PDB file of all heavy atoms in Angstrom:
ATOM      1  N   PHE A 248       5.488  -7.784  12.391  1.00 87.00           N
ATOM      2  CA  PHE A 248       4.318  -7.045  11.908  1.00 87.00           C
ATOM      3  C   PHE A 248       3.036  -7.853  12.044  1.00 87.00           C
ATOM      4  O   PHE A 248       2.016  -7.299  12.426  1.00 87.00           O
ATOM      5  CB  PHE A 248       4.518  -6.683  10.429  1.00 87.00           C
ATOM      6  CG  PHE A 248       5.340  -5.403  10.196  1.00 87.00           C
ATOM      7  CD1 PHE A 248       6.593  -5.429   9.664  1.00 87.00           C
ATOM      8  CD2 PHE A 248       4.776  -4.184  10.560  1.00 87.00           C
ATOM      9  CE1 PHE A 248       7.328  -4.244   9.479  1.00 87.00           C
ATOM     10  CE2 PHE A 248       5.471  -3.016  10.362  1.00 87.00           C
ATOM     11  CZ  PHE A 248       6.776  -3.051   9.810  1.00 87.00           C
ATOM     12  N   LEU A 249       3.114  -9.171  11.770  1.00 86.00           N
ATOM     13  CA  LEU A 249       1.925 -10.001  11.887  1.00 86.00           C
ATOM     14  C   LEU A 249       1.472 -10.106  13.319  1.00 86.00           C
ATOM     15  O   LEU A 249       0.292 -10.121  13.672  1.00 86.00           O
ATOM     16  CB  LEU A 249       2.198 -11.402  11.333  1.00 86.00           C
ATOM     17  CG  LEU A 249       2.315 -11.481   9.770  1.00 86.00           C
ATOM     18  CD1 LEU A 249       2.729 -12.884   9.377  1.00 86.00           C
ATOM     19  CD2 LEU A 249       1.000 -11.126   9.149  1.00 86.00           C
ATOM     20  N   ARG A 250       2.492 -10.224  14.247  1.00 84.00           N
ATOM     21  CA  ARG A 250       2.178 -10.310  15.674  1.00 84.00           C
ATOM     22  C   ARG A 250       1.462  -9.023  16.139  1.00 84.00           C
ATOM     23  O   ARG A 250       0.465  -9.075  16.846  1.00 84.00           O
ATOM     24  CB  ARG A 250       3.436 -10.517  16.471  1.00 84.00           C
ATOM     25  CG  ARG A 250       3.229 -10.770  17.981  1.00 84.00           C
ATOM     26  CD  ARG A 250       4.493 -10.833  18.733  1.00 84.00           C
ATOM     27  NE  ARG A 250       5.131  -9.558  18.813  1.00 84.00           N
ATOM     28  CZ  ARG A 250       4.814  -8.594  19.686  1.00 84.00           C
ATOM     29  NH1 ARG A 250       3.822  -8.769  20.508  1.00 84.00           N
ATOM     30  NH2 ARG A 250       5.470  -7.440  19.703  1.00 84.00           N
ATOM     31  N   ARG A 251       1.993  -7.865  15.692  1.00 83.00           N
ATOM     32  CA  ARG A 251       1.392  -6.586  16.101  1.00 83.00           C
ATOM     33  C   ARG A 251      -0.052  -6.466  15.491  1.00 83.00           C
ATOM     34  O   ARG A 251      -0.943  -5.920  16.131  1.00 83.00           O
ATOM     35  CB  ARG A 251       2.278  -5.464  15.674  1.00 83.00           C
ATOM     36  CG  ARG A 251       3.560  -5.372  16.458  1.00 83.00           C
ATOM     37  CD  ARG A 251       4.314  -4.134  16.198  1.00 83.00           C
ATOM     38  NE  ARG A 251       5.526  -4.085  17.060  1.00 83.00           N
ATOM     39  CZ  ARG A 251       6.126  -2.974  17.475  1.00 83.00           C
ATOM     40  NH1 ARG A 251       5.630  -1.828  17.102  1.00 83.00           N
ATOM     41  NH2 ARG A 251       7.209  -3.063  18.177  1.00 83.00           N
ATOM     42  N   LYS A 252      -0.144  -6.961  14.260  1.00 83.00           N
ATOM     43  CA  LYS A 252      -1.453  -6.864  13.641  1.00 83.00           C
ATOM     44  C   LYS A 252      -2.476  -7.723  14.404  1.00 83.00           C
ATOM     45  O   LYS A 252      -3.622  -7.297  14.579  1.00 83.00           O
ATOM     46  CB  LYS A 252      -1.378  -7.394  12.181  1.00 83.00           C
ATOM     47  CG  LYS A 252      -2.645  -7.226  11.402  1.00 83.00           C
ATOM     48  CD  LYS A 252      -2.538  -7.650   9.951  1.00 83.00           C
ATOM     49  CE  LYS A 252      -3.876  -7.518   9.248  1.00 83.00           C
ATOM     50  NZ  LYS A 252      -3.776  -7.950   7.854  1.00 83.00           N
ATOM     51  N   ALA A 253      -2.008  -8.895  14.866  1.00 83.00           N
ATOM     52  CA  ALA A 253      -2.937  -9.763  15.636  1.00 83.00           C
ATOM     53  C   ALA A 253      -3.318  -9.116  16.936  1.00 83.00           C
ATOM     54  O   ALA A 253      -4.476  -9.164  17.365  1.00 83.00           O
ATOM     55  CB  ALA A 253      -2.199 -11.101  15.949  1.00 83.00           C
ATOM     56  N   VAL A 254      -2.383  -8.428  17.578  1.00 81.00           N
ATOM     57  CA  VAL A 254      -2.666  -7.684  18.806  1.00 81.00           C
ATOM     58  C   VAL A 254      -3.668  -6.585  18.523  1.00 81.00           C
ATOM     59  O   VAL A 254      -4.626  -6.351  19.253  1.00 81.00           O
ATOM     60  CB  VAL A 254      -1.378  -7.125  19.425  1.00 81.00           C
ATOM     61  CG1 VAL A 254      -1.688  -6.158  20.608  1.00 81.00           C
ATOM     62  CG2 VAL A 254      -0.470  -8.235  19.925  1.00 81.00           C
ATOM     63  N   GLU A 255      -3.442  -5.808  17.432  1.00 80.00           N
ATOM     64  CA  GLU A 255      -4.333  -4.720  17.066  1.00 80.00           C
ATOM     65  C   GLU A 255      -5.741  -5.237  16.770  1.00 80.00           C
ATOM     66  O   GLU A 255      -6.732  -4.607  17.142  1.00 80.00           O
ATOM     67  CB  GLU A 255      -3.777  -4.001  15.830  1.00 80.00           C
ATOM     68  CG  GLU A 255      -2.520  -3.154  16.140  1.00 80.00           C
ATOM     69  CD  GLU A 255      -1.958  -2.519  14.902  1.00 80.00           C
ATOM     70  OE1 GLU A 255      -2.445  -2.820  13.774  1.00 80.00           O
ATOM     71  OE2 GLU A 255      -0.980  -1.747  14.989  1.00 80.00           O
ATOM     72  N   GLU A 256      -5.833  -6.402  16.109  1.00 81.00           N
ATOM     73  CA  GLU A 256      -7.153  -6.956  15.730  1.00 81.00           C
ATOM     74  C   GLU A 256      -7.897  -7.366  17.041  1.00 81.00           C
ATOM     75  O   GLU A 256      -9.100  -7.172  17.147  1.00 81.00           O
ATOM     76  CB  GLU A 256      -6.974  -8.141  14.824  1.00 81.00           C
ATOM     77  CG  GLU A 256      -6.573  -7.750  13.414  1.00 81.00           C
ATOM     78  CD  GLU A 256      -6.303  -8.916  12.525  1.00 81.00           C
ATOM     79  OE1 GLU A 256      -6.215 -10.082  13.072  1.00 81.00           O
ATOM     80  OE2 GLU A 256      -6.174  -8.727  11.291  1.00 81.00           O
ATOM     81  N   THR A 257      -7.141  -7.928  17.965  1.00 83.00           N
ATOM     82  CA  THR A 257      -7.772  -8.289  19.282  1.00 83.00           C
ATOM     83  C   THR A 257      -8.222  -7.057  20.023  1.00 83.00           C
ATOM     84  O   THR A 257      -9.350  -6.974  20.556  1.00 83.00           O
ATOM     85  CB  THR A 257      -6.740  -9.082  20.158  1.00 83.00           C
ATOM     86  OG1 THR A 257      -6.293 -10.231  19.470  1.00 83.00           O
ATOM     87  CG2 THR A 257      -7.366  -9.470  21.479  1.00 83.00           C
ATOM     88  N   GLN A 258      -7.329  -6.026  20.036  1.00 82.00           N
ATOM     89  CA  GLN A 258      -7.690  -4.736  20.661  1.00 82.00           C
ATOM     90  C   GLN A 258      -8.907  -4.111  19.997  1.00 82.00           C
ATOM     91  O   GLN A 258      -9.831  -3.577  20.636  1.00 82.00           O
ATOM     92  CB  GLN A 258      -6.509  -3.780  20.535  1.00 82.00           C
ATOM     93  CG  GLN A 258      -6.728  -2.399  21.180  1.00 82.00           C
ATOM     94  CD  GLN A 258      -6.562  -2.478  22.705  1.00 82.00           C
ATOM     95  OE1 GLN A 258      -6.241  -3.512  23.280  1.00 82.00           O
ATOM     96  NE2 GLN A 258      -6.740  -1.336  23.345  1.00 82.00           N
ATOM     97  N   LEU A 259      -8.946  -4.227  18.655  1.00 82.00           N
ATOM     98  CA  LEU A 259     -10.111  -3.663  17.904  1.00 82.00           C
ATOM     99  C   LEU A 259     -11.428  -4.385  18.262  1.00 82.00           C
ATOM    100  O   LEU A 259     -12.460  -3.744  18.412  1.00 82.00           O
ATOM    101  CB  LEU A 259      -9.794  -3.765  16.388  1.00 82.00           C
ATOM    102  CG  LEU A 259     -10.900  -3.210  15.451  1.00 82.00           C
ATOM    103  CD1 LEU A 259     -11.165  -1.727  15.786  1.00 82.00           C
ATOM    104  CD2 LEU A 259     -10.544  -3.406  14.001  1.00 82.00           C
ATOM    105  N   ARG A 260     -11.339  -5.688  18.385  1.00 87.00           N
ATOM    106  CA  ARG A 260     -12.544  -6.460  18.806  1.00 87.00           C
ATOM    107  C   ARG A 260     -13.043  -6.007  20.201  1.00 87.00           C
ATOM    108  O   ARG A 260     -14.276  -5.790  20.396  1.00 87.00           O
ATOM    109  CB  ARG A 260     -12.259  -7.966  18.762  1.00 87.00           C
ATOM    110  CG  ARG A 260     -12.217  -8.546  17.377  1.00 87.00           C
ATOM    111  CD  ARG A 260     -12.304 -10.012  17.427  1.00 87.00           C
ATOM    112  NE  ARG A 260     -11.196 -10.638  18.131  1.00 87.00           N
ATOM    113  CZ  ARG A 260     -10.051 -10.984  17.572  1.00 87.00           C
ATOM    114  NH1 ARG A 260      -9.909 -10.792  16.276  1.00 87.00           N
ATOM    115  NH2 ARG A 260      -9.068 -11.533  18.287  1.00 87.00           N
ATOM    116  N   LEU A 261     -12.133  -5.827  21.131  1.00 88.00           N
ATOM    117  CA  LEU A 261     -12.438  -5.435  22.440  1.00 88.00           C
ATOM    118  C   LEU A 261     -13.063  -4.006  22.468  1.00 88.00           C
ATOM    119  O   LEU A 261     -14.147  -3.773  23.069  1.00 88.00           O
ATOM    120  CB  LEU A 261     -11.223  -5.436  23.365  1.00 88.00           C
ATOM    121  CG  LEU A 261     -10.650  -6.845  23.720  1.00 88.00           C
ATOM    122  CD1 LEU A 261      -9.336  -6.706  24.453  1.00 88.00           C
ATOM    123  CD2 LEU A 261     -11.644  -7.650  24.537  1.00 88.00           C
ATOM    124  N   THR A 262     -12.403  -3.106  21.753  1.00 88.00           N
ATOM    125  CA  THR A 262     -12.893  -1.694  21.730  1.00 88.00           C
ATOM    126  C   THR A 262     -14.234  -1.625  20.978  1.00 88.00           C
ATOM    127  O   THR A 262     -15.123  -0.859  21.332  1.00 88.00           O
ATOM    128  CB  THR A 262     -11.856  -0.747  21.124  1.00 88.00           C
ATOM    129  OG1 THR A 262     -11.554  -1.243  19.797  1.00 88.00           O
ATOM    130  CG2 THR A 262     -10.610  -0.749  21.918  1.00 88.00           C
ATOM    131  N   SER A 263     -14.334  -2.421  19.929  1.00 89.00           N
ATOM    132  CA  SER A 263     -15.568  -2.438  19.134  1.00 89.00           C
ATOM    133  C   SER A 263     -16.784  -2.948  19.970  1.00 89.00           C
ATOM    134  O   SER A 263     -17.884  -2.301  19.977  1.00 89.00           O
ATOM    135  CB  SER A 263     -15.417  -3.315  17.862  1.00 89.00           C
ATOM    136  OG  SER A 263     -16.570  -3.287  17.095  1.00 89.00           O
ATOM    137  N   ASP A 264     -16.538  -3.994  20.735  1.00 90.00           N
ATOM    138  CA  ASP A 264     -17.644  -4.533  21.561  1.00 90.00           C
ATOM    139  C   ASP A 264     -17.985  -3.507  22.684  1.00 90.00           C
ATOM    140  O   ASP A 264     -19.207  -3.294  23.011  1.00 90.00           O
ATOM    141  CB  ASP A 264     -17.210  -5.807  22.175  1.00 90.00           C
ATOM    142  CG  ASP A 264     -17.090  -6.961  21.175  1.00 90.00           C
ATOM    143  OD1 ASP A 264     -17.630  -6.820  20.105  1.00 90.00           O
ATOM    144  OD2 ASP A 264     -16.442  -7.959  21.508  1.00 90.00           O
TER     145      ASP A 264
END
Side-chain angles (χ1 to χ4, degrees):
F248 274 111
L249 288 174
R250 186 185 69 80
R251 292 192 176 205
K252 185 178 180 181
V254 171
E255 288 175 356
E256 288 175 349
T257 302
Q258 181 80 359
L259 180 59
R260 284 195 297 271
L261 291 173
T262 58
S263 183
D264 292 343

